[in-house]
Amino acid sequence: MDAQGMILAISEAQMGHKQGGIPIGSVLLLPNESDAEGTFTLLGSGHNERIQKSSPTLISALENAGRLSPEVYRKSTIYTTLSPCSMCSGAILLYKIPRVVIGENETFLGEEELLRSRGVEVVVLDNEECKDIMRRFIQEMPQAWNEDIGELR
Amino acid sequence: MDAQGMILAISEAQMGHKQGGIPIGSVLLLPNESDAEGTFTLLGSGHNERIQKSSPTLISALENAGRLSPEVYRKSTIYTTLSPCSMCSGAILLYKIPRVVIGENETFLGEEELLRSRGVEVVVLDNEECKDIMRRFIQEMPQAWNEDIGELR
Ligand SMILES: [Ca+2]
Ligand SMILES: [Ca+2]
Ligand SMILES: [Zn+2]
Ligand SMILES: [Zn+2]
């Protein structure tokens, strides 16, 4: 499931990049309990839309999943191409999503330690494609990137 | 400024309640630097829209403020009728908003300690009107409230 989840998240990041946006993608998956191992339900998918929607707070994968019951979040896994910022990490904690699979944390290290300290399983894949996408974007649009992470320059 | 900020946040909570929503309101204010003490600019205001927009992640006050520069967030104060959940607290940390004024934290205690540990000034007004609004809502709609805070029941 993890390899497939990351492929879906990367597709979202690439879609965001094609739209002129910040190329961070994410999906929320629910592992199927009764079916064959490794199958899942796609609950939601999305990419950063700061530029496309002038949105400073949209957490698209979770927003696009709509209103889910607390039970469902607690069985799901979230995949994200980049280490989650404090806002996205806070959403993971709010909904008690138990597992986060991260493409890479070299171009940006989010709140992985906070998540672990609260009992969330955090897996970092160190995926080269995820790093390439971010490196290129940060070179192309350093200001949009700094805005996205609240940095002054 | 704090009394006025909280009045605006309570107005937003009441607006949310009238719409059949979860009555939590918030505003983002920028203190004016050169003008008379206590004057401010309203950057954004909003209320919880989980029910109105089927939104699990909208942080309306910040979203309605639009894309602000990192410099502006760092000079602003956020007012919220209720202690901020982990997602909203994460947004405050992401954008390095230095000051949070909270109406009450009796019906729900959010991530105040995390905010303080990261250097955010946290002021709790212990406002009775904020408590009344939430108490009534939780009695009327316990399930929507549990969904909002990711609790099972
Ligand atoms: Ca490496
Ligand atoms: Ca009291
Ligand atoms: Zn984020
Ligand atoms: Zn919140």
Side-chain angles (χ1 to χ4, degrees):
Chain A
M1 188 174 85
D2 287 356
Q4 282 172 280
M6 192 49 60
I7 288 170
L8 291 170
I10 292 172
S11 303
E12 281 286 345
Q14 289 168 334
M15 206 183 310
H17 191 239
K18 267 185 207 146
Q19 295 168 353
I22 300 176
I24 305 172
S26 177
V27 295
L28 185 68
L29 302 188
L30 181 68
N32 291 341
E33 281 176 346
S34 46
D35 294 354
E37 176 121 353
T39 66
F40 58 83
T41 301
L42 175 64
L43 294 173
S45 68
H47 49 263
N48 184 303
E49 297 191 273
R50 174 178 301 274
I51 292 169
Q52 297 93 317
K53 294 192 176 169
S54 272
S55 171
T57 70
L58 194 60
I59 305 174
S60 297
L62 296 179
E63 188 67 14
N64 295 341
R67 288 172 65 185
L68 301 173
S69 79
E71 289 82 355
V72 170
Y73 286 116
R74 289 173 189 221
K75 292 176 189 163
S76 68
T77 296
I78 191 160
Y79 294 79
T80 170
T81 54
L82 184 65
S83 188
C85 79
S86 40
M87 178 173 67
C88 298
S89 299
I92 290 164
L93 293 176
L94 172 61
Y95 291 120
K96 300 178 179 62
I97 296 172
R99 189 162 182 268
V100 183
V101 179
I102 296 169
E104 63 106 352
N105 63 9
E106 276 188 19
T107 57
F108 175 77
L109 178 60
E111 295 277 0
E112 296 175 17
E113 277 318 307
L114 175 66
L115 291 170
R116 286 200 181 96
S117 77
R118 302 284 179 94
V120 177
E121 182 188 350
V122 177
V123 177
V124 181
L125 299 180
D126 198 40
N127 178 296
E128 292 301 324
E129 194 170 357
C130 292
K131 284 185 240 179
D132 284 347
I133 294 169
M134 279 309 292
R135 270 195 227 107
R136 254 181 294 148
F137 163 71
I138 293 170
Q139 275 197 327
E140 286 167 6
M141 298 177 78
Q143 207 169 340
W145 172 235
N146 283 329
E147 181 190 324
D148 200 56
I149 54 174
E151 289 299 333
L152 292 177
R153 68 203 157 88
Chain B
M1 189 174 85
D2 286 356
Q4 282 171 279
M6 192 50 60
I7 287 170
L8 292 170
I10 291 172
S11 303
E12 281 286 346
Q14 289 168 334
M15 206 184 310
H17 191 240
K18 268 184 207 145
Q19 296 168 354
I22 300 176
I24 305 171
S26 177
V27 294
L28 185 68
L29 302 187
L30 181 68
N32 291 341
E33 280 176 346
S34 46
D35 294 354
E37 177 121 353
T39 65
F40 57 83
T41 301
L42 175 62
L43 295 173
S45 69
H47 48 264
N48 185 303
E49 298 191 274
R50 174 178 301 275
I51 291 169
Q52 297 93 316
K53 293 192 175 167
S54 270
S55 171
T57 71
L58 195 59
I59 304 172
S60 297
L62 296 180
E63 187 67 14
N64 295 341
R67 288 171 65 184
L68 301 173
S69 78
E71 288 83 354
V72 170
Y73 287 117
R74 289 174 190 220
K75 293 175 188 162
S76 68
T77 296
I78 191 160
Y79 294 79
T80 170
T81 55
L82 183 65
S83 186
C85 80
S86 40
M87 179 174 66
C88 297
S89 299
I92 290 163
L93 293 176
L94 171 62
Y95 291 121
K96 299 179 180 61
I97 297 171
R99 189 162 181 268
V100 183
V101 179
I102 296 169
E104 64 107 349
N105 62 11
E106 276 188 19
T107 58
F108 176 76
L109 177 60
E111 295 278 0
E112 295 175 17
E113 276 318 306
L114 175 66
L115 290 170
R116 286 201 181 94
S117 76
R118 301 285 179 94
V120 177
E121 183 188 349
V122 177
V123 178
V124 181
L125 299 180
D126 199 40
N127 179 296
E128 292 301 324
E129 194 170 356
C130 292
K131 283 185 240 179
D132 285 347
I133 294 169
M134 279 309 291
R135 271 195 225 106
R136 257 182 294 148
F137 163 71
I138 292 170
Q139 276 197 326
E140 288 166 6
M141 298 178 77
Q143 207 170 340
W145 172 238
N146 284 329
E147 181 190 323
D148 201 55
I149 55 174
E151 288 300 332
L152 291 177
R153 69 206 155 88

